[in-house]
Amino acid sequence: MRTTLIFSIALAVWACRTTDTFRGTEMPERPIADFKLPDQNGRLFKLSDHRGKVVLFFFGYTFCPDVCPLTLSTWKRVHDALGADTAKVKFVYVTVDPQRDTPEKLKTHLAVFSSDILGLTGSPAALKEVYADFGVYIEKVNIAASAAGYLMNHTTRMFVVDQTGVLRLLIGHDAPVEDVAHDIRLLLKEKK
Amino acid sequence: MPKIFCFGLLLIILSAGCQRPSDKAEISIAEIWSRPVMVAGAMTDSAAAHRHHAGANGVVYLTIQNSGSAADRLLRVRTEICETVELHETIMDGDRMMMQPVENGIAIPAQGSTKLEPRGRHIMLMGLRRSLAVGDSIELHLDFEKSGTKTAFSTVRQP
Ligand SMILES: [Cu+2]
């Protein structure tokens, strides 16, 4: 009797220990409105076409040589770490600078990282709706002291949308590769 | 007698020579690298790309060491690889990033070092004239306030 009790407690403790949790920040579950934007290959990306896949979003611009490519090289390593699971994952880089980022510009920029990363641009109006739905902060700053003319301030977090099109996680752009891969795998295990 | 005179003179010269380096900066460059960047063939008209602020950009990170006992300052960087070079800094405000030019150069303390690294300060290469592939080397001329020009080669690598 006593051994049975000890055994069941041990089993319960073990069960709790193996309950896996997300390493990114969980969001109140909210469906992302379906949207369509052209990618770097001249195809139209439609969010609802990717049900059954986990979709990662990052909002950046090719003019940035620092945080944006840093995040893209993290994505490349996440992509490699996922192995066969990448077939069920979409990496989507949405420009915050449609004035400079044409599909051609995105194509050459992203080629350095992975051909599996999609680069989306579009009309400022269409992009604005997407930024608003995700809750992305973007600000254009004119800089007289730089040949750049203007630079973009922007949110650097990754947004993770689950297999049903619901925004689930925010992950810091500097998160370890294994943490990002871990959270994606956890979302892929969900059956909805 | 002349022997002692010579020895005395030597001592004076030596001591003078030993006291002087105290107000000099001794600059050396370490850990210098750049990210790979692809430049499209259509962008060879870099002057046009630059006018539209639409060229491809690169970056240089490095550590500047100063073994001298006077502080120094990196004022500007010159290279043939791109149209314009600027000193920039990325400022993180929570999860928001902003980038801006650094004003008045970058200080390197005496007997110390200054590190330029991701998510901080960087040398920004604007309007690249060619692609930067992993393994490439970029020649840079760094102009310091006190130490003059130092030449360094940045290696392109994917972090
Ligand atoms: Cu910059």
Side-chain angles (χ1 to χ4, degrees):
Chain A
M1 193 59 179
R2 204 178 186 174
T3 43
T4 317
L5 186 70
I6 290 166
F7 180 73
S8 17
I9 289 168
L11 190 72
V13 168
W14 178 80
C16 286
R17 240 174 52 87
T18 53
T19 302
D20 214 346
T21 52
F22 291 108
R23 296 176 189 169
T25 308
E26 283 183 78
M27 298 290 290
E29 296 192 16
R30 185 170 60 80
I32 291 295
D34 197 17
F35 68 87
K36 282 186 262 180
L37 287 173
D39 73 16
Q40 79 270 38
N41 303 309
R43 284 189 283 268
L44 207 58
F45 173 91
K46 190 177 172 208
L47 183 59
S48 58
D49 286 347
H50 301 282
R51 296 287 184 260
K53 287 177 183 166
V54 170
V55 191
L56 261 79
F57 286 90
F58 180 76
F59 297 81
Y61 66 129
T62 69
F63 198 83
C64 167
D66 192 48
V67 170
C68 300
L70 176 75
T71 309
L72 287 168
S73 58
T74 300
W75 271 14
K76 181 195 173 355
R77 284 182 291 142
V78 170
H79 176 273
D80 295 347
L82 284 169
D85 284 336
T86 48
K88 289 170 278 171
V89 181
K90 281 282 161 194
F91 295 87
V92 184
Y93 179 91
V94 183
T95 185
V96 297
D97 185 11
Q99 197 176 327
R100 292 189 185 108
D101 289 341
T102 58
E104 298 74 34
K105 189 79 195 298
L106 286 164
K107 190 170 182 146
T108 46
H109 184 75
L110 294 171
V112 167
F113 304 95
S114 166
S115 53
D116 270 355
I117 299 175
L118 290 175
L120 307 186
T121 184
S123 72
L127 285 165
K128 218 171 177 177
E129 278 185 36
V130 178
Y131 306 150
D133 197 22
F134 278 90
V136 173
Y137 152 87
I138 290 165
E139 191 183 358
K140 182 177 176 174
V141 184
N142 290 308
I143 299 186
S146 170
Y150 71 89
L151 294 167
M152 305 298 297
N153 298 349
H154 63 92
T155 301
T156 57
R157 274 197 258 198
M158 307 173 196
F159 296 78
V160 189
V161 172
D162 72 12
Q163 301 178 65
T164 66
V166 172
L167 175 61
R168 296 286 297 280
L169 299 171
L170 291 185
I171 301 178
H173 76 279
D174 54 348
V177 169
E178 56 272 25
D179 287 6
V180 183
H182 166 271
D183 284 3
I184 291 170
R185 284 208 180 95
L186 213 50
L187 285 172
L188 284 174
K189 277 183 200 159
E190 293 179 348
K191 291 271 179 285
K192 286 205 177 179
Chain B
M1 195 61 173
K3 249 184 196 167
I4 292 166
F5 176 74
C6 277
F7 184 69
L9 196 67
L10 195 69
L11 267 182
I12 291 165
I13 291 166
L14 276 176
S15 61
C18 287
Q19 275 160 7
R20 271 293 136 85
S22 59
D23 56 350
K24 269 186 86 178
E26 291 289 340
I27 294 295
S28 60
I29 308 293
E31 295 162 58
I32 178 164
W33 65 282
S34 296
R35 293 182 193 285
V37 181
M38 199 178 285
V39 178
M43 281 290 174
T44 45
D45 182 10
S46 54
H50 185 242
R51 266 201 305 282
H52 297 104
H53 312 298
N57 299 336
V59 71
V60 180
Y61 302 109
L62 78 171
T63 299
I64 307 169
Q65 292 160 338
N66 182 3
S67 60
S69 38
D72 206 343
R73 188 171 284 277
L74 174 65
L75 298 176
R76 75 189 73 77
V77 179
R78 293 170 289 119
T79 176
E80 289 296 307
I81 200 86
C82 65
E83 295 288 330
T84 314
V85 185
E86 293 183 4
L87 300 174
H88 278 204
E89 66 184 325
T90 297
I91 297 165
M92 298 301 300
D93 174 14
D95 75 327
R96 296 173 174 189
M97 76 139 250
M98 52 190 96
M99 189 165 72
Q100 61 187 42
V102 172
E103 279 168 36
N104 307 317
I106 291 169
I108 301 99
Q111 303 285 348
S113 67
T114 297
K115 196 168 187 168
L116 273 64
E117 56 191 340
R119 283 177 289 144
R121 289 173 292 184
H122 56 265
I123 296 168
M124 179 140 160
L125 309 174
M126 297 165 73
L128 287 169
R129 294 196 171 102
R130 60 171 177 82
S131 295
L132 306 179
V134 171
D136 283 359
S137 184
I138 308 163
E139 185 172 352
L140 301 160
H141 305 284
L142 295 90
D143 294 335
F144 290 90
E145 191 174 55
K146 295 204 178 103
S147 313
T149 302
K150 301 280 174 196
T151 298
F153 292 86
S154 180
T155 305
V156 179
R157 62 177 171 86
Q158 186 69 270

